[in-house]
Amino acid sequence: MITKKLLPHINIHIAREAARYYIKSGYWRGHRVHSPFVYHIVRHIITTRHRTDQQAQRNGRIYRNALLADRRIISVTDLGTGAPRNNQRTVSQIAQKAAISEKYGLMLYRLVTELKPQRILELGTSLGISTQYMIQALTPDAILTSIEGSPECAQIASEKLHGVGYSVDLRVGNFDNMLPIVLAEPQLPTFFFIDGNHTRQATLHYFNLISSELERRNTDAVIVFDDIHLSEEMTSAWDTITHDERVMTSIDLFRVGIVFFRKGCQKEYYCVRW
């Protein structure tokens, strides 16, 4: 749990990691990237805006503004870190502080558009802002499953998502209990967005569960981790993940980290200036 006493320490860590990122990052718009696959992802998906972004951007702003205007007070049950347990906050306050930014939301939209996964799994729905960016990019027959630990957050997300016509498989419960259930289902997700329980132990636990099932089913996939430099624990978890032999390609964008499981590729790591 992140308390007020820990916030100065966390802020110092983020500032230190930001400085390191700007010193070591490169590969701007794909320069010096030798892998054709990674070059395409960096050049045409991460760092280049598309014309289709305009509609996704408008939809995202409409959705976010509806949340910012919502003054209802809800009880946020936090099963991981990031806020006191059962914290009373307005929907607007959560949308202001806990939501993914438009920049990264549109990047998720482009990544899903490019990879065309038949099933996405999101850990950490919150109010559904990242959810709606990804669901806009799905093909008609694809499914997005999102798990949220806080029932009242899940209720708001369900209300807002269905209110704008999005169909999502939203499940409420602890990630530790729900993730194995989803991974055991016949249709295995091939795109994962992990944005919840920001501790080293939990992050590595989710990574290992997912990696083991991908390996068992011999399936290529991508995992996007949010807040990889939020704390020393998360930075340590990210470092462990990028060195795992099952991960072939890793991309560090400072706020988020992307890892690809791709057969027949050599191991690569890129810290991309964006």
Side-chain angles (χ1 to χ4, degrees):
M1 183 185 300
I2 297 176
T3 66
K4 290 183 178 179
K5 290 182 179 180
L6 289 177
L7 285 177
H9 176 70
I10 291 169
N11 291 335
I12 291 171
H13 173 78
I14 293 174
R16 184 170 60 244
E17 289 300 308
R20 289 177 179 171
Y21 168 77
Y22 282 106
I23 289 171
K24 70 180 182 179
S25 62
Y27 308 105
W28 169 246
R29 295 183 65 78
H31 298 312
R32 297 187 296 110
V33 175
H34 300 296
S35 164
F37 171 78
V38 179
Y39 176 84
H40 178 73
I41 293 294
V42 173
R43 170 84 183 192
H44 298 289
I45 306 304
I46 293 174
T47 62
T48 300
R49 296 288 295 271
H50 297 179
R51 281 181 293 179
T52 55
D53 285 3
Q54 296 177 4
Q55 186 60 52
Q57 183 181 57
R58 283 193 292 270
N59 292 340
R61 289 179 178 178
I62 290 169
Y63 189 90
R64 192 186 302 266
N65 288 337
L67 293 169
L68 293 174
D70 195 327
R71 305 298 179 184
R72 283 178 291 177
I73 298 174
I74 65 173
S75 178
V76 181
T77 305
D78 182 20
L79 300 178
T81 63
R85 295 178 183 273
N86 298 316
N87 188 23
Q88 297 285 324
R89 287 185 286 170
T90 66
V91 173
S92 176
Q93 288 173 328
I94 300 170
Q96 288 173 356
K97 297 180 179 180
I100 194 169
S101 68
E102 180 176 274
K103 174 182 177 178
Y104 286 98
L106 289 173
M107 185 274 293
L108 281 176
Y109 167 80
R110 291 193 296 270
L111 196 57
V112 173
T113 300
E114 172 67 20
L115 298 176
K116 296 180 175 56
Q118 288 300 293
R119 190 179 187 189
I120 293 175
L121 176 60
E122 176 183 41
L123 294 186
T125 318
S126 186
L127 300 177
I129 292 180
S130 55
T131 315
Q132 62 85 32
Y133 279 114
M134 292 186 288
I135 207 166
Q136 290 185 68
L138 288 180
T139 57
D141 58 341
I143 300 170
L144 192 154
T145 298
S146 189
I147 302 173
E148 172 55 39
S150 174
E152 293 196 33
C153 278
Q155 179 59 41
I156 295 294
S158 178
E159 170 193 316
K160 298 295 186 182
L161 289 167
H162 286 98
V164 292
Y166 296 141
S167 177
V168 58
D169 173 23
L170 182 56
R171 307 187 190 186
V172 182
N174 190 301
F175 298 163
D176 290 343
N177 299 329
M178 302 298 292
L179 178 57
I181 294 173
V182 175
L183 293 177
E185 292 171 355
Q187 186 177 16
L188 181 67
T190 55
F191 188 106
F192 299 83
F193 181 52
I194 312 299
D195 183 22
N197 200 343
H198 295 100
T199 65
R200 183 180 190 277
Q201 182 179 0
T203 301
L204 293 179
H205 178 58
Y206 306 146
F207 167 76
N208 284 319
L209 284 176
I210 294 168
S211 301
S212 296
E213 190 60 24
L214 291 172
E215 191 172 40
R216 189 182 75 82
R217 299 204 203 185
N218 195 29
T219 302
D220 290 349
V222 57
I223 309 178
V224 181
F225 294 92
D226 196 21
D227 293 321
I228 59 171
H229 295 295
L230 176 68
S231 64
E232 291 181 5
E233 284 199 33
M234 287 301 293
T235 299
S236 175
W238 171 246
D239 184 61
T240 299
I241 288 166
T242 58
H243 284 87
D244 190 284
E245 62 181 9
R246 295 168 293 190
V247 172
M248 290 295 100
T249 303
S250 309
I251 301 176
D252 183 342
L253 299 175
F254 186 63
R255 170 162 179 163
V256 307
I258 308 172
V259 297
F260 293 89
F261 297 79
R262 301 174 64 239
K263 295 181 289 293
C265 299
Q266 66 179 32
K267 196 170 183 64
E268 301 171 295
Y269 174 85
Y270 298 94
C271 184
V272 176
R273 177 72 62 88
W274 185 36

